Amino acid sequence: MISGKYWPAHPHPLPGESLSCWIVRTAHANGLKVQTFCDREFGKDFQIWNRDIDRNAPEWLLAIMSDKTGTPIKQVRNTTARLYEKRLFPKLHSASQLRWFMALKKKHRTHKGYAQQYCPLCLKEDDEPYFRLQWRLALYTFCTKHRILMADRCYHCGGEVEFHRLELGKANQVKVETLDCCWICNKPLSSAPIQNVNLYPKLVDQRWSNLLESIDRQLYPAGALRYQNITLLHQFCRLLSSGRYRPRLSKHICTSGHYSQPELKIDSVIFEQRDIIERHTLLQLAWWIMTNRNRIKTAIHRKAVRVNLLYRDLDPDTKRYVIGLLTH
Ligand SMILES: [Zn+2]
Ligand SMILES: [Zn+2]
């Protein structure tokens, strides 16, 4: 362990930075490889990169990061999915799927699945390119600052984003120049082509942008963006991701809202595991129906969706809210 109250270099988390990115930057700032730093400071028995540290980091690890960098523990906790507890999902847990939070599929320190998104322009403009926690969210499909679609892989080689592997297995390399780099082909991630986002109708644009902006600012969304409504939005995303329930619902929404029918590569897979284009497309349909409760009532009336599917698996409070929404 490096002695002293603080590590010689102890950068603080940048705005919205994820824990994993902050650890990588701290290791490099101290002139160490990520693996060497983690073995020394967190112990060889605890392999950070075999788990999803941004989702479920143990309290002792957060305490070390707080003590050795002089960062308040609350700020440290906000670099992990704890930040979204009671905002986007009811409770943080380690079992199976967490609502809206994209899962890394782990295999010997390699992530499979495209669960780390990025905005090419944010990375390009950062003085020190870094990865934000909110970029792990399935509903975060565009950057509100640049109004462009997020990217979920390297444009050049199709590889997943794994900024902790940039110097792994390279004997002579400790330092990395920038995290804006693909660990497989070394090309800048920020060189991905830009795809502008145009959302319609206007209310869909407003609600969706407002939600992403409040997530950026780490606020509790309220009013139309209250927790229960975001939960119901997720129920629609779930149904639209299901090969069984999508056809009628999607046909109804696309006809009424003048959208073209989504073309999906895989018929049935959970929303959080779909790629950026599919999530963005399905979210537009879900937001369209969510921006006016009469649209939901009409969809039920026309048998495009069964009402019990809308509150299936919800906690009692949210279930009551949904029933109230549809009966008044
Ligand atoms: Zn951006
Ligand atoms: Zn690449």
Side-chain angles (χ1 to χ4, degrees):
M1 208 177 245
I2 307 171
S3 58
K5 185 165 164 33
Y6 298 146
W7 287 315
H10 47 272
H12 294 287
L14 293 163
E17 186 171 16
S18 65
L19 178 63
S20 58
C21 186
W22 183 32
I23 291 175
V24 167
R25 284 198 312 113
T26 306
H28 291 158
N30 283 287
L32 294 170
K33 277 177 175 279
V34 174
Q35 191 65 44
T36 313
F37 176 80
C38 292
D39 285 351
R40 281 195 203 170
E41 301 302 319
F42 309 128
K44 280 192 173 188
D45 293 340
F46 186 80
Q47 287 298 311
I48 285 192
W49 309 105
N50 287 347
R51 58 197 87 214
D52 189 344
I53 204 75
D54 292 335
R55 178 173 155 175
N56 295 94
E59 195 60 32
W60 61 261
L61 188 138
L62 301 178
I64 293 177
M65 288 305 289
S66 171
D67 291 347
K68 301 294 270 180
T69 64
T71 307
I73 189 69
K74 187 167 183 289
Q75 194 186 346
V76 176
R77 289 199 186 105
N78 285 352
T79 64
T80 74
R82 281 173 202 231
L83 177 63
Y84 304 125
E85 219 172 33
K86 300 194 182 76
R87 298 178 188 194
L88 296 177
F89 49 77
K91 199 170 176 3
L92 184 62
H93 58 75
S94 53
S96 72
Q97 188 60 41
L98 193 59
R99 189 191 299 159
W100 295 123
F101 203 80
M102 295 191 286
L104 299 174
K105 292 197 200 100
K106 294 296 196 167
K107 208 179 166 196
H108 304 295
R109 284 194 233 121
T110 306
H111 303 164
K112 287 290 168 218
Y114 301 97
Q116 177 66 66
Q117 309 179 101
Y118 62 94
C119 166
L121 290 181
C122 281
L123 282 188
K124 193 175 267 179
E125 289 173 9
D126 283 341
D127 291 337
E128 184 176 8
Y130 71 101
F131 291 82
R132 283 74 161 164
L133 183 69
Q134 62 265 36
W135 292 353
R136 294 285 311 275
L137 296 171
L139 52 69
Y140 205 101
T141 57
F142 65 95
C143 170
T144 52
K145 183 179 171 199
H146 296 107
R147 301 284 304 178
I148 60 169
L149 206 63
M150 302 294 283
D152 65 354
R153 65 198 68 191
C154 169
Y155 170 73
H156 305 281
C157 72
E160 55 278 350
V161 176
E162 298 195 52
F163 50 81
H164 66 286
R165 291 177 66 101
L166 286 171
E167 30 72 353
L168 189 77
K170 295 170 189 165
N172 300 320
Q173 188 184 352
V174 174
K175 234 176 127 44
V176 303
E177 288 302 320
T178 172
L179 298 187
D180 174 17
C181 182
C182 169
W183 69 283
I184 301 172
C185 74
N186 283 323
K187 297 222 170 67
L189 294 170
S190 64
S191 60
I194 302 306
Q195 287 179 268
N196 291 310
V197 162
N198 293 304
L199 301 172
Y200 61 93
K202 205 163 186 283
L203 193 56
V204 165
D205 189 337
Q206 271 172 7
R207 293 259 167 95
W208 196 349
S209 303
N210 287 346
L211 179 66
L212 300 189
E213 279 162 9
S214 61
I215 287 173
D216 282 339
R217 296 203 303 273
Q218 306 193 344
L219 299 171
Y220 278 87
L225 300 176
R226 58 195 288 175
Y227 171 77
Q228 288 90 344
N229 283 334
I230 302 309
T231 304
L232 187 54
L233 176 77
H234 188 265
Q235 293 290 78
F236 280 110
C237 288
R238 254 175 90 174
L239 296 172
L240 288 166
S241 291
S242 148
R244 183 169 171 201
Y245 300 116
R246 182 179 52 256
R248 293 176 77 95
L249 181 59
S250 157
K251 186 161 181 260
H252 171 79
I253 296 176
C254 290
T255 307
S256 314
H258 310 290
Y259 293 103
S260 46
Q261 281 290 339
E263 286 172 30
L264 306 178
K265 290 184 217 72
I266 309 173
D267 194 35
S268 231
V269 64
I270 64 166
F271 179 71
E272 283 82 355
Q273 287 175 14
R274 291 191 177 275
D275 70 19
I276 174 69
I277 304 281
E278 294 190 354
R279 278 184 285 109
H280 188 71
T281 307
L282 296 179
L283 268 160
Q284 285 193 64
L285 307 188
W287 276 109
W288 179 84
I289 200 160
M290 276 300 297
T291 44
N292 182 335
R293 71 171 146 185
N294 285 331
R295 288 182 185 156
I296 307 178
K297 288 182 182 176
T298 306
I300 294 168
H301 183 69
R302 297 202 186 147
K303 298 190 167 34
V305 63
R306 288 208 315 272
V307 67
N308 64 315
L309 293 174
L310 293 181
Y311 50 74
R312 191 169 72 174
D313 302 330
L314 296 185
D315 60 277
D317 277 355
T318 311
K319 186 173 171 177
R320 258 196 303 280
Y321 174 84
V322 172
I323 293 169
L325 189 76
L326 299 176
T327 48
H328 291 117

